[in-house]
Amino acid sequence: MTDSGTPQHTEYDVVVIGAGPVGENAADRTQAAGLSTAIVESELVGGECSYWACMPSKALLKPVLTQADARRLPGLAPAVSGPLDAAAVLARRDSFTSHWKDDSQVEWVNSVGVALHRGTGRLAGPRTVTVTAPDGTETTLGARQAVVVATGSRAVLPGLPGMDTARPWTSREATSAQSVPARLAIVGGGVVAVEMATAWQALGSRVTLLVRGAGLLERMEPFAGELVAQRLGEAGVDLRLRTSVAEVSRDSEDGPVTLTLGDGGTLQAEEVLFATGRAPRTEDLGLETVGLEPGTWLDADDSCRVKGTDWLYAVGDVNHRALLTHQGKYQARIAGAVIAARAQDADVDASPWSPHQATADHAAVPQVVFTDPEATSVGLTLAEARAAGHRVRAVDQDLGSVAGAALYGDDYTGRARMVVDEDHGFLRGVTFVGPGVSELLHSATVAVAGEVPLDRLWHAVPAYPTISEVWLRLLEAYRG
């Protein structure tokens, strides 16, 4: 049954599986275009981002970064020299998740006229979705125009000995824990690992970060991981590079977890977080009923339609194009426009700037890592641009030498890089690392996504004295 008591067999123009931010955007767009739309959710309406990812993690991190910024300012530093009030930080985090209740999200779904079906949605052939409610009731939904899969991804745990009884944390437990573990081991060197190391170390944990590779944030410019690693060490995190985990064990319900390392050594902690990758939530989606393989990423074209079909769309993490909430919402807006156009037998514009084509998730993907310092990037790194065959040049700038950064805080440490396409005269990528740089990123995104010529960027004058003056310094360095 649905929240509104609709019958067990019903038809809509569009059925969306997954009511996270991505699925909500897709449903909103098709409903607004005049297509009757249903959305199916097996957990909380609002999805991973609202309850276990973006919102709670950033609520944990904001006090940490604010305190770090304040400590860089003479006259203010003594007032914030003490530890954070962990209970208050956790309580504020809980408020941002609405205490893991989705009443307000359900109210929004109802307000836009989308029908909500609670339960597990599975494909049952072309344009057909079955919904199994928590009480076992089964409803069959028909989709006259399209089915949109927005089921996202889940954390992957490695198959190590002892994992079945060690009760490890994934990102969900790391962002929703109700108390601060005295010791926390984190396995991984990516975004989740470094953000949670930043948060829990500041909240009072003794954090050990175990990284199999040679550095952190290896998908960004090398200096990003280097600067974040330096600050984590200064904050007290025990960072161990080139370190693997061979086994885990927990001998009692309340006892610590023991990690056996690849070199034979051991490490004990109250909790261990594995931040070691994501997998698509498609293993129980009924893909086999439409000739696709369960548990795989869905291969979608630039209109977000699953290749080989004329009715199935995949948006967000599940299509593996860019595993970021904002990129998934962007894809959902594209898919909604495409479905509406095709429903009216209208031509779908295939040009790069078309509202019917997702192109920004290829070469203009913005990302912020909310550590101290913040690490932000959009587009290609220098290595990626060269590997793609572009003739490029990297231009670097010490952010600490910019007047606005010096005013931001004493001993400001940061770096900026732009990757210039020498043949076309525009930017392939930009990276900023430093306190407070996240708000610089959209200007870089506009430059990269819009392929703005450098000759035009000279006339985009940054205000003085702001950190954004780094744009002028980068352009000056490029011209020599």
Side-chain angles (χ1 to χ4, degrees):
M1 296 295 288
T2 71
D3 280 16
S4 56
T6 54
Q8 291 184 326
H9 297 270
T10 189
E11 283 201 354
Y12 300 90
D13 291 318
V14 180
V15 176
V16 180
I17 307 176
V22 177
E24 287 177 331
N25 268 261
D28 183 38
R29 289 303 169 107
T30 55
Q31 183 72 26
L35 301 177
S36 61
T37 302
I39 196 166
V40 182
E41 178 53 53
S42 62
E43 295 185 289
L44 296 175
V45 176
E48 195 81 11
C49 177
S50 299
Y51 304 104
W52 300 287
C54 317
M55 297 308 293
S57 66
K58 303 320 171 271
L60 289 174
L61 286 158
K62 183 60 176 176
V64 178
L65 302 185
T66 300
Q67 184 186 54
D69 286 344
R71 286 176 171 174
R72 296 183 178 97
L73 291 172
L76 184 56
V80 293
S81 60
L84 290 169
D85 183 339
V89 173
L90 296 180
R92 184 171 185 266
R93 182 272 321 269
D94 291 353
S95 71
F96 272 92
T97 65
S98 300
H99 301 274
W100 291 273
K101 296 179 180 178
D102 62 3
D103 296 0
S104 62
Q105 299 274 12
V106 171
E107 183 179 349
W108 177 84
V109 171
N110 291 334
S111 74
V112 298
V114 171
L116 171 62
H117 292 254
R118 295 258 194 198
T120 300
R122 299 180 183 89
L123 295 169
R127 295 184 172 86
T128 305
V129 175
T130 60
V131 183
T132 304
D135 65 3
T137 303
E138 190 170 284
T139 304
T140 300
L141 308 179
R144 287 182 288 265
Q145 300 295 337
V147 174
V148 181
V149 177
T151 50
S153 63
R154 57 177 175 80
V156 174
L157 290 172
L160 298 175
M163 288 290 282
D164 54 342
T165 58
R167 303 189 312 280
W169 279 7
T170 67
S171 53
R172 283 197 169 194
E173 290 78 18
T175 58
S176 63
Q178 293 298 309
S179 60
V180 179
R183 297 169 297 176
L184 174 63
I186 301 177
V187 183
V191 176
V192 171
V194 297
E195 287 191 345
M196 291 299 95
T198 300
W200 288 107
Q201 177 74 28
L203 290 171
S205 283
R206 297 196 302 278
V207 173
T208 303
L209 186 55
L210 307 173
V211 184
R212 185 168 56 184
L216 303 178
L217 302 175
E218 291 189 333
R219 294 185 178 181
M220 302 182 82
E221 296 285 7
F223 64 81
E226 293 166 4
L227 290 173
V228 170
Q230 176 184 329
R231 182 68 190 104
L232 284 173
E234 292 170 354
V237 172
D238 180 5
L239 174 58
R240 306 186 190 181
L241 301 177
R242 297 185 177 88
T243 301
S244 62
V245 177
E247 185 176 351
V248 293
S249 63
R250 194 188 294 266
D251 295 332
S252 65
E253 184 73 19
D254 299 323
V257 61
T258 300
L259 286 75
T260 302
L261 307 180
D263 62 4
T266 60
L267 172 70
Q268 280 199 333
E270 274 59 51
E271 303 291 350
V272 57
L273 162 63
F274 280 88
T276 49
R278 308 286 297 179
R281 295 184 63 186
T282 61
E283 65 277 8
D284 190 27
L285 189 59
L287 291 181
E288 67 280 1
T289 69
V290 295
L292 298 172
E293 185 179 348
T296 59
W297 304 100
L298 296 179
D299 188 10
D301 62 21
D302 284 349
S303 73
C304 297
R305 188 165 62 181
V306 175
K307 295 178 181 178
T309 76
D310 63 0
W311 59 274
L312 184 62
Y313 293 76
V315 293
D317 284 11
V318 75
N319 66 28
H320 208 230
R321 291 164 67 100
L323 276 65
L324 295 160
T325 297
H326 47 276
Q327 292 299 131
K329 292 165 69 174
Y330 160 74
Q331 293 166 6
R333 295 191 292 270
I334 297 290
V338 169
I339 293 167
R342 287 175 173 155
Q344 298 169 5
D345 294 322
D347 290 334
V348 173
D349 185 359
S351 70
W353 310 112
S354 166
H356 300 137
Q357 298 293 310
T359 55
D361 52 8
H362 293 308
V365 177
Q367 181 173 16
V368 179
V369 185
F370 290 89
T371 45
D372 175 32
E374 292 175 338
T376 73
S377 66
V378 62
L380 304 179
T381 64
L382 178 63
E384 289 170 341
R386 286 175 172 167
H390 303 300
R391 190 172 69 90
V392 292
R393 172 184 163 194
V395 181
D396 291 349
Q397 177 66 40
D398 174 15
L399 266 169
S401 66
V402 175
L407 287 168
Y408 192 92
D410 287 0
D411 299 319
Y412 186 104
T413 300
R415 186 172 170 186
R417 167 173 288 180
M418 64 182 191
V419 178
V420 181
D421 188 310
E422 297 278 67
D423 293 322
H424 296 91
F426 58 69
L427 302 180
R428 291 287 179 182
V430 180
T431 298
F432 299 121
V433 182
V437 297
S438 57
E439 297 301 336
L440 286 182
L441 185 60
H442 192 60
S443 60
T445 303
V446 171
V448 173
E451 298 180 354
V452 180
L454 264 65
D455 287 344
R456 290 297 301 152
L457 284 180
W458 269 102
H459 300 282
V461 181
Y464 179 88
T466 65
I467 302 176
S468 62
E469 195 186 13
V470 69
W471 278 110
L472 176 60
R473 303 302 168 219
L474 287 166
L475 291 167
E476 287 175 336
Y478 178 68
R479 289 202 168 182

